[in-house]
Short mmCIF file of all heavy atoms in Angstrom, two decimals:
data_model
loop_
_atom_site.label_atom_id
_atom_site.label_comp_id
_atom_site.label_asym_id
_atom_site.label_seq_id
_atom_site.Cartn_x
_atom_site.Cartn_y
_atom_site.Cartn_z
N ALA A 902 9.19 -22.27 -35.66
CA ALA A 902 10.21 -22.02 -34.64
C ALA A 902 11.60 -22.25 -35.21
O ALA A 902 12.51 -21.43 -35.01
CB ALA A 902 9.97 -22.93 -33.44
N ALA A 903 11.79 -23.36 -35.91
CA ALA A 903 13.10 -23.67 -36.49
C ALA A 903 13.51 -22.60 -37.50
O ALA A 903 14.69 -22.20 -37.55
CB ALA A 903 13.07 -25.04 -37.14
N ASN A 904 12.55 -22.12 -38.27
CA ASN A 904 12.86 -21.08 -39.26
C ASN A 904 13.27 -19.77 -38.58
O ASN A 904 14.16 -19.07 -39.08
CB ASN A 904 11.65 -20.84 -40.17
CG ASN A 904 11.46 -21.97 -41.17
OD1 ASN A 904 12.40 -22.73 -41.45
ND2 ASN A 904 10.26 -22.10 -41.70
N ARG A 905 12.63 -19.44 -37.47
CA ARG A 905 13.02 -18.23 -36.73
C ARG A 905 14.44 -18.39 -36.17
O ARG A 905 15.24 -17.45 -36.20
CB ARG A 905 12.04 -17.98 -35.58
CG ARG A 905 10.71 -17.45 -36.02
CD ARG A 905 10.77 -15.96 -36.33
NE ARG A 905 9.46 -15.47 -36.74
CZ ARG A 905 9.13 -14.21 -36.85
NH1 ARG A 905 10.03 -13.28 -36.57
NH2 ARG A 905 7.93 -13.84 -37.26
N GLY A 906 14.73 -19.57 -35.64
CA GLY A 906 16.07 -19.81 -35.14
C GLY A 906 17.11 -19.68 -36.23
O GLY A 906 18.16 -19.06 -36.04
N ARG A 907 16.82 -20.24 -37.40
CA ARG A 907 17.75 -20.13 -38.53
C ARG A 907 17.91 -18.67 -38.97
O ARG A 907 19.01 -18.25 -39.33
CB ARG A 907 17.26 -20.99 -39.70
CG ARG A 907 18.30 -21.07 -40.83
CD ARG A 907 17.88 -21.98 -41.96
NE ARG A 907 16.82 -21.38 -42.75
CZ ARG A 907 15.58 -21.84 -42.80
NH1 ARG A 907 15.21 -22.92 -42.12
NH2 ARG A 907 14.66 -21.24 -43.55
N TYR A 908 16.84 -17.90 -38.93
CA TYR A 908 16.90 -16.50 -39.31
C TYR A 908 17.87 -15.73 -38.40
O TYR A 908 18.66 -14.90 -38.87
CB TYR A 908 15.50 -15.87 -39.22
CG TYR A 908 15.46 -14.40 -39.58
CD1 TYR A 908 15.47 -14.00 -40.91
CD2 TYR A 908 15.42 -13.43 -38.59
CE1 TYR A 908 15.43 -12.65 -41.24
CE2 TYR A 908 15.39 -12.08 -38.91
CZ TYR A 908 15.39 -11.69 -40.24
OH TYR A 908 15.37 -10.36 -40.55
N VAL A 909 17.83 -16.02 -37.11
CA VAL A 909 18.75 -15.37 -36.17
C VAL A 909 20.19 -15.76 -36.48
O VAL A 909 21.09 -14.91 -36.53
CB VAL A 909 18.39 -15.74 -34.71
CG1 VAL A 909 19.49 -15.27 -33.76
CG2 VAL A 909 17.05 -15.13 -34.32
N VAL A 910 20.42 -17.05 -36.72
CA VAL A 910 21.78 -17.53 -37.00
C VAL A 910 22.33 -16.89 -38.28
O VAL A 910 23.51 -16.51 -38.34
CB VAL A 910 21.79 -19.06 -37.12
CG1 VAL A 910 23.14 -19.57 -37.61
CG2 VAL A 910 21.44 -19.69 -35.77
N GLU A 911 21.48 -16.73 -39.28
CA GLU A 911 21.94 -16.21 -40.57
C GLU A 911 22.04 -14.68 -40.61
O GLU A 911 22.88 -14.14 -41.35
CB GLU A 911 20.99 -16.69 -41.68
CG GLU A 911 21.06 -18.19 -41.91
CD GLU A 911 20.04 -18.66 -42.95
OE1 GLU A 911 19.17 -17.83 -43.34
OE2 GLU A 911 20.11 -19.82 -43.37
N ASN A 912 21.22 -13.99 -39.83
CA ASN A 912 21.14 -12.53 -39.96
C ASN A 912 21.64 -11.75 -38.76
O ASN A 912 21.77 -10.52 -38.85
CB ASN A 912 19.68 -12.13 -40.25
CG ASN A 912 19.19 -12.63 -41.58
OD1 ASN A 912 19.44 -12.04 -42.61
ND2 ASN A 912 18.47 -13.75 -41.56
N PHE A 913 21.91 -12.42 -37.66
CA PHE A 913 22.36 -11.71 -36.46
C PHE A 913 23.63 -12.33 -35.90
O PHE A 913 23.74 -12.58 -34.70
CB PHE A 913 21.25 -11.70 -35.40
CG PHE A 913 20.06 -10.86 -35.78
CD1 PHE A 913 18.95 -11.47 -36.35
CD2 PHE A 913 20.05 -9.50 -35.57
CE1 PHE A 913 17.84 -10.71 -36.71
CE2 PHE A 913 18.95 -8.73 -35.92
CZ PHE A 913 17.84 -9.33 -36.50
N GLN A 914 24.58 -12.58 -36.80
CA GLN A 914 25.87 -13.12 -36.36
C GLN A 914 26.50 -12.19 -35.33
O GLN A 914 26.32 -10.99 -35.37
CB GLN A 914 26.80 -13.28 -37.55
CG GLN A 914 26.46 -14.47 -38.45
CD GLN A 914 26.69 -15.80 -37.73
OE1 GLN A 914 27.66 -15.96 -37.00
NE2 GLN A 914 25.79 -16.74 -37.96
N ARG A 915 27.27 -12.79 -34.42
CA ARG A 915 27.99 -12.09 -33.37
C ARG A 915 27.06 -11.44 -32.35
O ARG A 915 27.44 -10.49 -31.65
CB ARG A 915 28.96 -11.04 -33.95
CG ARG A 915 30.07 -11.65 -34.79
CD ARG A 915 31.09 -10.61 -35.21
NE ARG A 915 30.49 -9.56 -36.04
CZ ARG A 915 30.24 -9.68 -37.34
NH1 ARG A 915 30.55 -10.81 -37.98
NH2 ARG A 915 29.70 -8.70 -38.02
N THR A 916 25.83 -11.94 -32.25
CA THR A 916 24.96 -11.53 -31.15
C THR A 916 24.81 -12.72 -30.20
O THR A 916 24.89 -13.88 -30.62
CB THR A 916 23.56 -11.10 -31.64
OG1 THR A 916 22.87 -12.24 -32.17
CG2 THR A 916 23.65 -10.01 -32.69
N PRO A 917 24.57 -12.46 -28.91
CA PRO A 917 24.42 -13.56 -27.95
C PRO A 917 23.27 -14.50 -28.27
O PRO A 917 23.27 -15.65 -27.80
CB PRO A 917 24.19 -12.83 -26.62
CG PRO A 917 24.77 -11.47 -26.81
CD PRO A 917 24.54 -11.14 -28.25
N ALA A 918 22.31 -14.04 -29.07
CA ALA A 918 21.13 -14.86 -29.36
C ALA A 918 21.42 -15.98 -30.36
O ALA A 918 20.59 -16.88 -30.52
CB ALA A 918 20.00 -13.98 -29.90
N VAL A 919 22.56 -15.96 -31.03
CA VAL A 919 22.87 -16.99 -32.03
C VAL A 919 22.86 -18.38 -31.41
O VAL A 919 22.35 -19.35 -32.00
CB VAL A 919 24.22 -16.69 -32.71
CG1 VAL A 919 24.70 -17.89 -33.53
CG2 VAL A 919 24.08 -15.48 -33.63
N ALA A 920 23.43 -18.49 -30.20
CA ALA A 920 23.47 -19.80 -29.54
C ALA A 920 22.06 -20.32 -29.31
O ALA A 920 21.76 -21.50 -29.57
CB ALA A 920 24.22 -19.69 -28.22
N ASP A 921 21.16 -19.47 -28.84
CA ASP A 921 19.78 -19.89 -28.64
C ASP A 921 19.10 -20.19 -29.97
O ASP A 921 18.23 -21.06 -30.04
CB ASP A 921 19.00 -18.81 -27.89
CG ASP A 921 19.36 -18.76 -26.41
OD1 ASP A 921 19.83 -19.78 -25.87
OD2 ASP A 921 19.19 -17.69 -25.80
N GLY A 922 19.48 -19.47 -31.02
CA GLY A 922 18.93 -19.76 -32.34
C GLY A 922 19.27 -21.17 -32.79
O GLY A 922 18.43 -21.88 -33.34
N LEU A 923 20.52 -21.59 -32.56
CA LEU A 923 20.92 -22.96 -32.91
C LEU A 923 20.16 -23.99 -32.07
O LEU A 923 19.75 -25.04 -32.57
CB LEU A 923 22.42 -23.12 -32.70
CG LEU A 923 23.31 -22.42 -33.74
CD1 LEU A 923 24.74 -22.32 -33.23
CD2 LEU A 923 23.26 -23.16 -35.08
N ALA A 924 19.98 -23.67 -30.78
CA ALA A 924 19.25 -24.59 -29.90
C ALA A 924 17.79 -24.71 -30.35
O ALA A 924 17.21 -25.82 -30.34
CB ALA A 924 19.33 -24.11 -28.46
N VAL A 925 17.19 -23.60 -30.73
CA VAL A 925 15.82 -23.63 -31.25
C VAL A 925 15.74 -24.49 -32.50
O VAL A 925 14.81 -25.29 -32.67
CB VAL A 925 15.32 -22.20 -31.54
CG1 VAL A 925 14.04 -22.23 -32.37
CG2 VAL A 925 15.07 -21.44 -30.25
N MET A 926 16.71 -24.31 -33.40
CA MET A 926 16.74 -25.12 -34.62
C MET A 926 16.81 -26.60 -34.29
O MET A 926 16.05 -27.42 -34.84
CB MET A 926 17.93 -24.72 -35.49
CG MET A 926 17.83 -23.35 -36.12
SD MET A 926 19.37 -22.84 -36.92
CE MET A 926 19.51 -24.07 -38.23
N ALA A 927 17.72 -26.95 -33.38
CA ALA A 927 17.88 -28.35 -33.00
C ALA A 927 16.58 -28.92 -32.44
O ALA A 927 16.13 -30.00 -32.83
CB ALA A 927 19.01 -28.49 -31.98
N GLN A 928 15.96 -28.15 -31.52
CA GLN A 928 14.72 -28.64 -30.91
C GLN A 928 13.59 -28.75 -31.92
O GLN A 928 12.84 -29.73 -31.94
CB GLN A 928 14.31 -27.71 -29.77
CG GLN A 928 13.11 -28.20 -28.98
CD GLN A 928 13.42 -29.47 -28.21
OE1 GLN A 928 13.79 -29.41 -27.07
NE2 GLN A 928 13.26 -30.62 -28.84
N GLY A 929 13.47 -27.75 -32.78
CA GLY A 929 12.42 -27.80 -33.78
C GLY A 929 12.58 -28.96 -34.74
O GLY A 929 11.60 -29.66 -35.05
N TYR A 930 13.81 -29.20 -35.19
CA TYR A 930 14.05 -30.30 -36.12
C TYR A 930 13.83 -31.66 -35.46
O TYR A 930 13.34 -32.60 -36.09
CB TYR A 930 15.46 -30.21 -36.69
CG TYR A 930 15.68 -29.03 -37.62
CD1 TYR A 930 16.86 -28.30 -37.59
CD2 TYR A 930 14.70 -28.65 -38.53
CE1 TYR A 930 17.06 -27.21 -38.43
CE2 TYR A 930 14.89 -27.57 -39.37
CZ TYR A 930 16.07 -26.85 -39.33
OH TYR A 930 16.26 -25.78 -40.17
N ILE A 931 14.19 -31.77 -34.18
CA ILE A 931 13.92 -33.02 -33.46
C ILE A 931 12.43 -33.30 -33.43
O ILE A 931 11.98 -34.42 -33.70
CB ILE A 931 14.50 -32.95 -32.03
CG1 ILE A 931 16.03 -33.05 -32.06
CG2 ILE A 931 13.92 -34.06 -31.16
CD1 ILE A 931 16.69 -32.77 -30.72
N LEU A 932 11.65 -32.28 -33.10
CA LEU A 932 10.20 -32.45 -33.00
C LEU A 932 9.56 -32.69 -34.36
O LEU A 932 8.45 -33.23 -34.44
CB LEU A 932 9.58 -31.23 -32.32
CG LEU A 932 9.92 -31.11 -30.83
CD1 LEU A 932 9.62 -29.71 -30.32
CD2 LEU A 932 9.13 -32.14 -30.03
N LEU A 933 10.24 -32.31 -35.43
CA LEU A 933 9.76 -32.55 -36.78
C LEU A 933 10.30 -33.86 -37.36
O LEU A 933 10.04 -34.18 -38.53
CB LEU A 933 10.16 -31.39 -37.70
CG LEU A 933 9.45 -30.05 -37.45
CD1 LEU A 933 10.18 -28.91 -38.16
CD2 LEU A 933 7.99 -30.11 -37.89
N ASN A 934 11.08 -34.58 -36.54
CA ASN A 934 11.73 -35.83 -36.98
C ASN A 934 12.71 -35.61 -38.14
O ASN A 934 12.92 -36.50 -38.96
CB ASN A 934 10.67 -36.88 -37.37
CG ASN A 934 9.81 -37.29 -36.19
OD1 ASN A 934 10.32 -37.53 -35.10
ND2 ASN A 934 8.50 -37.37 -36.40
N MET A 935 13.29 -34.43 -38.20
CA MET A 935 14.32 -34.14 -39.20
C MET A 935 15.68 -34.33 -38.53
O MET A 935 16.39 -33.37 -38.19
CB MET A 935 14.16 -32.71 -39.73
CG MET A 935 12.85 -32.47 -40.46
SD MET A 935 12.71 -30.73 -41.03
CE MET A 935 11.18 -30.79 -41.96
N ASP A 936 16.03 -35.59 -38.28
CA ASP A 936 17.18 -35.90 -37.45
C ASP A 936 18.50 -35.39 -38.03
O ASP A 936 19.38 -34.94 -37.28
CB ASP A 936 17.26 -37.41 -37.22
CG ASP A 936 16.12 -37.92 -36.34
OD1 ASP A 936 15.35 -37.08 -35.85
OD2 ASP A 936 16.01 -39.15 -36.15
N GLU A 937 18.65 -35.44 -39.33
CA GLU A 937 19.92 -35.00 -39.92
C GLU A 937 20.15 -33.52 -39.69
O GLU A 937 21.25 -33.09 -39.31
CB GLU A 937 19.93 -35.32 -41.42
CG GLU A 937 21.27 -35.03 -42.08
CD GLU A 937 21.30 -35.47 -43.54
OE1 GLU A 937 20.43 -36.26 -43.96
OE2 GLU A 937 22.21 -35.01 -44.25
N LEU A 938 19.11 -32.70 -39.91
CA LEU A 938 19.22 -31.27 -39.67
C LEU A 938 19.43 -30.98 -38.19
O LEU A 938 20.18 -30.07 -37.81
CB LEU A 938 17.98 -30.54 -40.18
CG LEU A 938 17.80 -30.49 -41.70
CD1 LEU A 938 16.47 -29.87 -42.07
CD2 LEU A 938 18.95 -29.70 -42.34
N ALA A 939 18.75 -31.78 -37.33
CA ALA A 939 18.92 -31.60 -35.89
C ALA A 939 20.36 -31.90 -35.47
O ALA A 939 20.95 -31.15 -34.69
CB ALA A 939 17.96 -32.51 -35.13
N GLU A 940 20.93 -32.97 -36.00
CA GLU A 940 22.31 -33.33 -35.67
C GLU A 940 23.29 -32.25 -36.12
O GLU A 940 24.25 -31.93 -35.41
CB GLU A 940 22.66 -34.67 -36.32
CG GLU A 940 21.97 -35.86 -35.66
CD GLU A 940 22.18 -37.15 -36.45
OE1 GLU A 940 22.79 -37.09 -37.55
OE2 GLU A 940 21.73 -38.20 -35.97
N GLU A 941 23.05 -31.68 -37.29
CA GLU A 941 23.93 -30.60 -37.77
C GLU A 941 23.85 -29.39 -36.84
O GLU A 941 24.89 -28.80 -36.50
CB GLU A 941 23.53 -30.20 -39.19
CG GLU A 941 23.83 -31.26 -40.24
CD GLU A 941 23.32 -30.84 -41.62
OE1 GLU A 941 22.78 -29.71 -41.73
OE2 GLU A 941 23.45 -31.64 -42.57
N SER A 942 22.65 -29.03 -36.43
CA SER A 942 22.48 -27.88 -35.55
C SER A 942 23.14 -28.12 -34.20
O SER A 942 23.80 -27.23 -33.64
CB SER A 942 20.99 -27.58 -35.35
OG SER A 942 20.35 -27.32 -36.58
#
Side-chain angles (χ1 to χ4, degrees):
N904 286 340
R905 285 282 181 168
R907 188 176 72 247
Y908 179 79
V909 170
V910 172
E911 293 176 350
N912 295 278
F913 292 96
Q914 285 293 320
R915 296 187 299 280
T916 67
V919 168
D921 286 336
L923 287 165
V925 166
M926 290 171 64
Q928 186 66 94
Y930 291 140
I931 287 171
L932 290 164
L933 290 166
N934 296 316
M935 297 178 175
D936 292 355
E937 186 175 343
L938 291 174
E940 289 172 355
E941 291 176 2
S942 301

